[in-house]
Amino acid sequence: MAKLRSSLGLTQMEFAAKFCIRLGTLRHWERGDRKPHGPALALLHVVAKEPQAVLRALS
């Protein structure tokens, strides 16, 4: 997760805000306390492949 976020040049706060993810949830994912699943996992796969398309869709 942190690798994806840093590849986009975003802080945790920026990534969470842009992709509509709770900051606490993102922090848990990055620490490895929890893993994304279901729709969140699908969103992250799309963000990894086409981040600008997701940003356009969410704006």
Side-chain angles (χ1 to χ4, degrees):
M1 191 67 46
K3 190 175 185 178
L4 170 60
R5 180 178 55 77
S6 66
S7 75
L8 297 173
L10 300 172
T11 65
Q12 285 182 332
M13 192 174 290
E14 292 167 335
F15 187 92
K18 286 184 183 293
F19 296 108
C20 305
I21 298 167
R22 288 183 24 206
L23 183 57
T25 298
L26 177 62
R27 288 180 175 157
H28 281 293
W29 291 344
E30 289 194 0
R31 281 194 310 255
D33 300 338
R34 298 183 191 152
K35 293 184 179 184
H37 61 278
L41 184 58
L43 171 65
L44 293 170
H45 282 297
V46 177
V47 168
K49 300 264 186 203
E50 296 290 338
Q52 295 308 314
V54 177
L55 289 170
R56 282 193 307 273
L58 293 175
S59 66

